[in-house]
């Protein structure tokens, strides 16, 4: 009898030991899976293969910045950035889901995975490059200042403290003025359309934005002059992807270089920008194959 009890005790002890060991192993395994899931949850971007597999790419563009990105009377996206985006979709073999974006949410849309690529007159700056990855450039840009013909602004020096300048939040214009002209009061708007309306309604004496955009505005609207066509440094416009999305970034760089061999961006300029700017600006604005013009 004692031997039977002893045997039962040994069996129960062994069973309990094995059960605890299995439990510990299971917890360890679950912990590893949980850690991996948490880690993957922080990766909001889609890789190149995932985009191809889905059959659709999400590209953020402006919807109110003619002639760079806008929606026409038929509800279709048009413009220089859209011309480029259409080619990206064609060469990737996927459909494009256009995401209407404003200047202030371009970085956010990449960081949250709402957009795979941003093509919305995105000026390359060191600060932005800390938060997103820029591909090779496809356009040159500086800042410009447009104002009514009744009071053309040709200098920002000796500014009247009562006068306000219109800017769009999240743009290089806002950053430049804050850093270089901190005493100039700014009127900040979220979109191109609201900034344009503010200038037309006389809510500010001038509007500072990318020179390509203010020049286009003055050419398309009577009664306005670009008194300062180039303000600050000469910068580049480039596509942007989520930080760390190397597969998509590498593909974009190869695409831009390849398109340069066929002079794609000059063709894009002629198709979308020439009616606004004429051909005089073509070589100064277009960056072909990721290489800046000298």
């Amino acid at each position: 009898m004692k031997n039977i009890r002893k045997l039962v005790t040994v069996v129960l002890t062994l069973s309990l030991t094995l059960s605890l060991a299995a439990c510990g192993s299971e917890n360890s395994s679950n912990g590893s899976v949980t850690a991996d899931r948490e880690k993957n949850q922080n990766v909001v971007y889609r890789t190149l293969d995932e985009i191809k597999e889905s059959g659709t790419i999400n590209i953020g563009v402006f919807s109110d910045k003619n002639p760079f990105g806008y929606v026409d009377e038929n509800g279709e996206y048009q413009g220089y950035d859209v011309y480029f985006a259409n080619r990206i979709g064609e060469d990737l073999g996927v459909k494009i889901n256009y995401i209407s974006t404003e200047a202030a949410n371009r970085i956010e849309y990449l960081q949250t995975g709402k957009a795979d690529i941003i093509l919305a007159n995105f000026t390359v700056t060191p600060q932005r490059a800390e938060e997103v990855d820029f591909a090779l450039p496809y356009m040159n840009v500086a800042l410009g200042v447009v104002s009514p013909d009744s009071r053309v602004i040709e200098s920002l020096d000796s500014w009247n403290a009562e006068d306000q300048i219109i800017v769009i939040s999240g743009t290089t214009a806002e950053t430049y003025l804050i850093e270089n002209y901190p005493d100039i009061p700014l009127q900040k708007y979220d979109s191109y359309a609201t900034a344009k309306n503010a200038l037309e309604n006389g809510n500010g004496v001038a509007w500072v934005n990318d020179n390509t955009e203010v020049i286009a505005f003055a050419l398309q609207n009577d009664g306005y002059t670009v008194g300062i066509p180039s303000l600050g440094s000469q910068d580049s416009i480039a596509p942007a992807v989520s930080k760390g999305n190397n597969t998509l970034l590498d593909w974009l760089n190869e695409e831009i270089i390849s398109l340069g061999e066929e002079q794609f961006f000059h063709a894009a300029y002629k198709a979308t920008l020439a009616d606004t700017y004429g051909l005089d600006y073509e070589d100064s604005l277009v960056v072909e194959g990721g290489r800046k013009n000298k």
Side-chain angles (χ1 to χ4, degrees), residues 7-23:
L7 179 61
V8 170
T9 301
V10 170
V11 169
L12 288 174
T13 301
L14 181 60
S15 175
L16 180 60
T17 301
L18 291 173
S19 175
L20 289 174
C23 222

Side-chain angles (χ1 to χ4, degrees), residues 62 65 67-68 80-81 106 120-125 128 134 137-145 171-173 176 192 208-216 226 228-239 269 273 277 281-288 291-293:
F62 288 128
K65 286 191 177 182
F68 299 98
Y80 185 71
D81 290 338
R106 289 174 293 193
N121 283 77
F122 212 180
T123 304
V124 179
T125 69
R128 288 171 175 170
F134 285 103
Y138 62 97
M139 193 172 190
N140 291 314
V141 70
L143 297 177
V145 182
T171 61
T172 51
Y176 177 83
Y192 183 92
V208 180
N209 207 25
D210 287 354
N211 61 352
T212 52
E213 293 165 8
V214 297
I215 290 171
V226 178
I228 306 177
S230 184
L231 179 70
S233 61
Q234 186 75 234
D235 296 312
S236 297
I237 299 291
Y269 181 97
L273 302 183
Y277 296 105
Y281 286 97
E282 183 176 357
D283 287 335
S284 63
L285 292 179
V286 172
V287 176
E288 198 70 75
R291 301 180 63 179
K292 278 192 172 185
N293 299 321

Side-chain angles (χ1 to χ4, degrees), residues 24 61 63 114 135 154 165-166 199 229 267 275 280:
V61 296
S63 60
K114 186 170 185 177
E154 297 180 335
I165 281 185
I166 295 167
L199 182 65
D275 286 347
D280 291 341

Side-chain angles (χ1 to χ4, degrees), residues 40-81:
N40 290 334
Q41 284 175 356
N42 294 326
V43 181
V44 295
Y45 62 76
R46 299 190 301 162
T47 66
L48 181 66
D49 287 342
E50 289 171 336
I51 291 169
K52 288 181 177 180
E53 186 177 348
S54 74
T56 302
I57 187 168
N58 302 314
I59 300 182
V61 296
F62 288 128
S63 60
D64 60 356
K65 286 191 177 182
N66 187 353
F68 299 98
Y70 64 98
V71 177
D72 65 15
E73 62 276 8
N74 298 317
E76 300 291 331
Y77 279 91
Q78 304 290 349
Y80 185 71
D81 290 338

